[in-house]
């Protein structure tokens, strides 16, 4: 026979609610259990203070008593934080009570798969599913000589840099970031990364981008790199290796002590390049795009 006290404990252990500024410290402590894997959610909490109006979405928490045990960033990106399969089932129930607004589900493979097991039939097939992406990180000097021509970009570089960013995004994601009227937003995002000192590139003698990469998000503990791109005319020459070595050196000196990224499992050339730089695998991610 289940007692009333046991019922209360079960209800308490399954409590899911919206987080706000008062929960910021607990959420940062939760993310801090794996600060490299959780860098996106950690960064978002720091810059928005968990205010929904700044998040452009919500962050949910699962509690046992008054202790936060799991989190879920629910916006354009749905990202689990410190979640077990059971936590994700609870978040999935909450997600199904509203209209899907997320464009991407991304995070460690096990919680993403658990979430999708619950919502997949209702949300319909993703445009693309990348189930086992190696998550890589480095917290030492690069293992190869950095390209001395890779540098921080400036506002004056925008006319050359922006087309390279569009080309990389389109090649990687399969749709242009300018589609659906997104040009102004995406251009502003590239300008923002430049202004933060999070954009790095090498240019040829004609001012064309040869190699580029950006920091997508950063905390005092880690920075996540995105947008790694070598111009098609320059591929196969090892520029991604020396270029990423330069990015690692610059990011570790200027932004955060650990550099991370995740890469498609099938992208053997990129994986080999990152290994030569000194990146090691620390997790497997899954990304579902709608």
């Amino acid at each position: 026979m289940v007692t009333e006290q046991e019922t209360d404990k079960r209800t308490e252990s399954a409590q899911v609610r919206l987080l706000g500024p008062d929960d910021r410290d607990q959420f940062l402590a939760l993310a801090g259990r794996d600060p490299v894997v959780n860098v996106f959610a950690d960064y978002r909490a720091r810059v928005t203070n968990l205010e929904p109006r700044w998040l452009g979405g919500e962050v949910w928490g699962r509690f046992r008593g008054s202790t936060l045990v799991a989190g879920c960033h629910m916006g354009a990106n749905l990202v689990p934080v410190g979640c077990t399969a059971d936590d994700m089932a609870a978040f999935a129930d909450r997600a199904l009570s509203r209209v899907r607004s997320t464009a991407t589900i991304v995070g460690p493979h096990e919680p993403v798969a658990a979430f999708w097991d619950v919502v997949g039939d209702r949300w319909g097939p993703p445009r693309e599913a990348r189930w086992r992406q190696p998550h890589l990180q480095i917290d030492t000097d690069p293992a190869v000589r950095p390209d001395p021509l890779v540098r921080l970009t400036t506002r004056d570089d925008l006319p050359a840099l922006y087309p390279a960013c569009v080309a990389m995004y389109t090649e990687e994601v399969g749709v242009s970031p300018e589609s659906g009227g997104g040009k102004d937003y995406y251009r502003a995002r590239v300008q923002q990364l430049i202004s933060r000192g999070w954009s790095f590139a090498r240019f040829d003698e004609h001012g064309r981008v040869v190699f580029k990469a950006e920091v997508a998000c950063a905390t005092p503990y880690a920075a996540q790199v995105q947008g790694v791109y070598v111009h098609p005319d320059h591929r196969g020459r090892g520029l991604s290796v020396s270029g990423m070595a330069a990015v690692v050196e610059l990011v570790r000196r200027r932004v955060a002590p650990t550099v991370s990224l995740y890469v498609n499992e099938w992208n053997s050339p990129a994986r080999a390049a990152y290994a030569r730089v000194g990146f090691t695998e620390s997790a497997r991610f899954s990304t579902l795009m709608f």
Side-chain angles (χ1 to χ4, degrees):
M1 181 177 179
V2 178
T3 67
E4 182 176 344
Q5 184 179 16
E6 289 171 331
T7 300
D8 289 343
K9 286 182 178 179
R10 289 183 183 180
T11 301
E12 186 177 60
S13 68
Q15 180 190 8
V16 173
R17 66 168 174 82
L18 178 68
L19 300 184
D22 290 343
D23 303 299
R24 179 181 182 272
D25 289 346
Q26 272 210 80
F27 185 80
L28 291 179
L30 176 68
R33 295 176 188 174
D34 195 339
V36 183
V37 165
N38 294 325
V39 61
F40 170 81
D42 190 335
Y43 164 74
R44 293 283 288 157
R46 291 174 188 274
V47 299
T48 66
N49 204 35
L50 296 183
E51 286 276 9
R53 59 179 174 163
W54 299 116
L55 279 164
E58 298 177 344
V59 174
W60 305 334
R62 194 179 193 210
F63 288 81
R64 291 194 182 98
S66 60
T67 302
L68 179 67
V69 296
C72 185
H73 179 281
M74 183 65 173
N77 297 308
L78 190 154
V79 181
V81 182
C83 292
T84 64
D86 186 57
D87 295 324
M88 289 310 287
F91 289 133
D93 287 341
R94 184 178 180 97
L96 287 172
S97 69
R98 57 193 63 202
V99 176
R100 179 180 66 80
S101 59
T102 189
T104 306
I105 303 173
V106 60
H109 170 74
E110 288 77 10
V112 170
F115 183 89
W116 192 246
D117 283 344
V118 178
V119 307
D121 289 343
R122 295 272 296 275
W123 280 10
R127 177 175 57 81
E128 187 167 353
R130 302 175 181 181
W131 280 111
R132 292 192 176 273
Q133 300 169 296
H135 178 276
L136 310 174
Q137 63 185 66
I138 181 172
D139 60 3
T140 64
D141 290 338
V144 298
R145 182 174 179 269
D147 184 344
L149 298 180
V150 172
R151 59 169 175 80
L152 278 172
T153 63
T154 70
R155 287 184 299 174
D156 292 340
D157 295 318
L158 184 63
L161 185 63
Y162 179 73
C165 292
V166 172
M168 180 276 152
Y169 186 103
T170 304
E171 184 176 320
E172 173 67 18
V173 179
V175 295
S176 170
E178 297 182 337
S179 63
K183 181 176 181 178
D184 290 344
Y185 171 81
Y186 191 66
R187 190 177 182 88
R189 173 61 174 164
V190 174
Q191 290 175 312
Q192 181 186 60
L193 295 175
I194 293 171
S195 67
R196 287 179 176 170
W198 286 6
S199 171
F200 311 91
R202 172 180 171 171
F203 299 84
D204 66 15
E205 63 274 17
H206 304 294
R208 186 175 61 174
V209 172
V210 172
F211 166 88
K212 75 157 194 78
E214 298 90 36
V215 168
C217 52
T219 71
Y221 309 105
Q224 186 178 93
V225 170
Q226 67 171 17
V228 181
Y229 175 78
V230 176
H231 191 282
D233 291 349
H234 294 269
R235 293 175 185 175
R237 303 180 186 178
L239 289 175
S240 60
V241 177
S242 59
M244 278 304 299
V247 169
V248 167
E249 186 176 70
L250 288 164
V251 171
R252 292 190 68 241
R253 186 167 71 235
R254 300 176 59 89
V255 184
T258 299
V259 183
S260 72
L261 54 82
Y262 52 98
V263 59
N264 292 319
E265 184 179 22
W266 46 260
N267 194 343
S268 298
R271 293 178 65 180
Y274 298 142
R276 286 183 61 191
V277 174
F279 282 88
T280 58
E281 184 174 327
S282 56
R284 284 289 171 117
F285 269 33
S286 293
T287 302
L288 309 181
M289 294 180 285
F290 300 90

